Amino acid sequence: MIKTDVLVIGSGPAGSSAAKHAALGGAKVIVIDKKSEIGAPKRCAEGVSKAGLADLGIEPNVRWVTKELDGVRLVSPNGTNVWLTSDEIELPEAGYILERKIFDKYMAMDAARAGAEIKIKTLAHGMRKEGDAYVVTCEHMGELFEIKANIIIAADGPESRVARWAGLRTATKATNMESGIQFEMVGVEMEKQDVIEFYFGSVAPGGYAWIFPKGDDIANVGLAVITNDTDKTPYEHLKDFVANCPATQNAQAVEFNIGGDPVGGMPKKIYDDNILVCGDAAGQVNPLTGGGIISGMKGGMHAGIVAASAIADGDFSKDRLKEYDKNIRDDIGHEIDKYLKVKDYALSLSDEELDSVADAFQDVEFEKVSTTELVKNLIKVSPKALLKLGKLL
Ligand SMILES: Cc1cc2nc3c(=O)[nH]c(=O)nc-3n(C[C@H](O)[C@H](O)[C@H](O)COP(=O)(O)OP(=O)(O)OC[C@H]3O[C@@H](n4cnc5c(N)ncnc54)[C@H](O)[C@@H]3O)c2cc1C
C-alpha cells in the first residue's frame, strides 16, 4: 500500500492549487486524476479576472492566455446593450480568456514543481476509514491499488462523490445545478474583439448565454440553463442562440463542451475528520456568473495550507481542519452570498423587466452617477423591477 500525508483527488484548478500549497507547506502529497490528459476535455468558457489570478500569486503566461479583455457587453432580451468597457468606465478589473487545456496542465506542473507527486489516468473508486487515515482504492490501466492518507482533499469537480463517501452532504440540488453547453467556434463576428458578451432572458432560462472571444475570429459560444425552468434541452437553446445571434451567422463549431455548474453556494459542511472539500465539489462557484476557476483555486489554496499545517501538528481531526472552513468563508463567502442575492433578483425578472433595467442603465455614465440616480432611472422605466430589488435586499 502507498502511504502519504495528503491525497488530493482531482487535478482540476482546485486540486492542483491544493496540492501545490500542501506541498509548499512541507507535506508529502499525491494528486490523482482519472483523465489521461489534465485539462481535457474542457468544460468551461475560460474567463478569469486579473485580480483573481493576482490574489493567487499567479503570473499570466502567454502559453495559456488567449485574450486580454477590456470589458463586458450586456444584452437584454430585446437587444438593448449596456457596454461596460474602458471607453465608458474606469474598470475595477478586467480579465483574460484562458486556454484551459494548457492552463490546467500548467497548474498541475506548478504542483509537481512544488513537490507533489502526480498520478494521471488514476481513478478513485471508493474509500474506507482505517485508524486516523483514509484508504482510497484506485485504478490505473486496469490495475487496482490502495493509497493511505491522513488527509484527503476532495477536488473531484461538480459530480463529486468523494465527500459523500466520507458522509458529507455536499451534493448539489437539481435546482442549483446549471447545465452548461458550449461550442468553440471559428468565424465569429463580434462588435468588439476584446469584450465578453452576456445575453439575458428566455434565451437561457435560469442562466444566460455568452460569447467569450479567444482571439482572431475564435470564441466560446455557450449558455447555461436550469433545466427545471425550461421545456427545451440545453442543446436546443444553444442551437437557437447560434441561429439567431448576429455574431454567429457565419460561424462553425470546432469543439463541443458540456458540463454541470453548481451555483447554489457552499454547502454547510465542507470538512470533517481527515477530509477537506474544495472547488466545484464544495460549491465554490460565483452563483451569478457560474465562474469557479479562481474561487475553486482559492478553496484549494486554503485547503492545502491548512492540510500542511495539520500534518505538521499531527492533528487531522475536524476541530483542527475547521480552520479551512473559516479561512475560505472569510475569503469568498461574502462574495458568494452577495451574488446569490443578485442572481435571485435577476432570475425574478421577466424579459420585459430585463429590457427596462437595460434601458435604465443604457445611457448612464457609471463613473459620474450616484446610486440614487440609478434608482431614479429604474423607477422611471420599471417600478416593478425596482420593487423586486427592494424585496431581495
Ligand atoms: C459550460 C461551462 C462554462 C464555464 N465557464 C467558466 C468560466 O468562463 N470561468 C470560470 O471561472 N468558470 C467557468 N466554469 C466553471 C469551471 O469550469 C469550474 O468551476 C472549474 O473547472 C472547477 O474546478 P475544479 O478543480 O473544482 O473541478 P474540475 O475542473 O471539474 O476538476 C475536477 C477533476 O477531478 C477529476 N476527477 C473527478 N472524479 C475523480 C475520481 N473519482 N478519481 C480521480 N479523478 C477524478 C476530473 O477528471 C477532473 O480533472 C464553467 C463551467 C461550465 C460547465
Side-chain angles (χ1 to χ4, degrees):
M1 187 185 305
I2 299 168
K3 288 188 182 156
T4 186
D5 294 331
V6 178
L7 173 64
V8 181
I9 303 179
S11 190
S16 290
S17 173
K20 171 177 148 183
H21 287 281
L24 287 176
K28 178 173 161 44
V29 181
I30 296 177
V31 51
I32 61 170
D33 201 293
K34 64 186 178 185
K35 289 178 178 168
S36 46
E37 183 181 359
I38 289 171
K42 77 165 192 249
R43 298 192 296 181
C44 189
E46 306 177 286
V48 290
S49 69
K50 281 185 185 175
L53 284 180
D55 287 350
L56 290 158
I58 296 169
E59 287 288 320
N61 188 304
V62 285
R63 284 174 187 256
W64 43 256
V65 169
T66 61
K67 190 79 196 159
E68 187 167 354
L69 299 170
D70 180 48
V72 179
R73 175 192 183 195
L74 308 173
V75 186
S76 82
N78 72 2
T80 304
N81 290 301
V82 178
W83 291 93
L84 302 173
T85 62
S86 61
D87 306 340
E88 314 283 329
I89 53 166
E90 181 91 24
L91 280 173
E93 61 175 61
Y96 300 109
I97 301 299
L98 308 175
E99 189 62 70
R100 278 279 309 257
K101 287 170 203 160
I102 302 175
F103 176 80
D104 283 23
K105 241 180 279 182
Y106 193 95
M107 292 303 118
M109 289 172 191
D110 247 10
R113 290 188 187 111
E117 181 187 345
I118 299 175
K119 291 182 178 295
I120 52 168
K121 210 166 167 47
T122 302
L123 170 75
H125 260 298
M127 64 188 200
R128 63 175 192 278
K129 200 75 189 287
E130 208 177 274
D132 200 7
Y134 273 108
V135 175
V136 177
T137 309
C138 303
E139 184 187 340
H140 173 71
M141 306 291 279
E143 281 192 24
L144 292 180
F145 64 98
E146 292 184 328
I147 303 179
K148 186 173 187 177
N150 292 112
I151 298 178
I152 301 293
I153 299 183
D156 52 335
E159 296 98 10
S160 171
R161 292 186 301 152
V162 176
R164 275 179 278 158
W165 293 338
L168 288 168
R169 297 160 66 95
T170 51
T172 307
K173 283 192 210 148
T175 44
N176 285 328
M177 183 63 94
E178 280 185 356
S179 298
I181 187 158
Q182 172 179 274
F183 291 132
E184 183 167 329
M185 304 189 90
V186 65
V188 182
E189 291 153 346
M190 300 181 72
E191 279 194 40
K192 291 187 183 176
Q193 277 294 319
D194 48 7
V195 168
I196 48 175
E197 301 189 345
F198 295 98
Y199 297 75
F200 297 96
S202 47
V203 65
Y208 59 86
W210 62 78
I211 304 184
F212 282 13
K214 291 188 74 173
D216 300 327
D217 55 349
I218 305 163
N220 288 323
V221 179
L223 51 83
V225 297
I226 297 282
T227 42
N228 284 19
D229 293 352
T230 172
D231 294 333
K232 286 202 265 181
T233 64
Y235 187 53
E236 285 166 340
H237 278 290
L238 180 61
K239 281 195 300 182
D240 287 352
F241 178 64
V242 167
N244 295 317
C245 181
T248 48
Q249 293 311 297
N250 297 311
Q252 293 189 61
V254 291
E255 190 175 310
F256 180 53
N257 316 122
I258 190 156
D261 209 352
V263 291
M266 282 188 267
K268 279 206 184 88
K269 198 148 178 232
I270 53 173
Y271 69 96
D272 208 337
D273 291 331
N274 310 88
I275 185 163
L276 300 168
V277 191
C278 65
D280 274 19
Q284 290 162 354
V285 172
N286 179 321
L288 181 67
T289 64
I293 300 171
I294 297 295
S295 43
M297 291 184 77
K298 287 185 176 177
M301 177 179 76
H302 290 297
I305 291 171
V306 170
S309 74
I311 292 291
D313 295 349
D315 180 356
F316 329 118
S317 67
K318 57 176 179 271
D319 285 345
R320 177 69 185 82
L321 297 183
K322 74 177 174 211
E323 183 187 341
Y324 160 63
D325 189 70
K326 179 179 182 327
N327 293 351
I328 188 61
R329 289 186 202 272
D330 283 354
D331 192 352
I332 65 169
H334 171 69
E335 288 280 288
I336 289 185
D337 291 347
K338 181 175 78 184
Y339 286 116
L340 267 173
K341 282 189 184 158
V342 180
K343 186 185 83 167
D344 284 347
Y345 172 62
L347 291 186
S348 74
L349 299 178
S350 66
D351 278 9
E352 292 70 30
E353 286 163 345
L354 280 166
D355 289 333
S356 325
V357 174
D359 226 37
F361 284 80
Q362 206 187 6
D363 297 321
V364 164
E365 288 185 66
F366 284 91
E367 268 179 294
K368 295 177 196 153
V369 89
S370 68
T371 316
T372 325
E373 279 171 88
L374 277 178
V375 170
K376 275 186 195 159
N377 268 12
L378 205 51
I379 291 178
K380 264 190 265 162
V381 294
S382 179
K384 219 164 137 193
L386 188 67
L387 206 66
K388 285 184 180 171
L389 178 63
K391 275 189 197 151
L392 279 157
L393 296 177

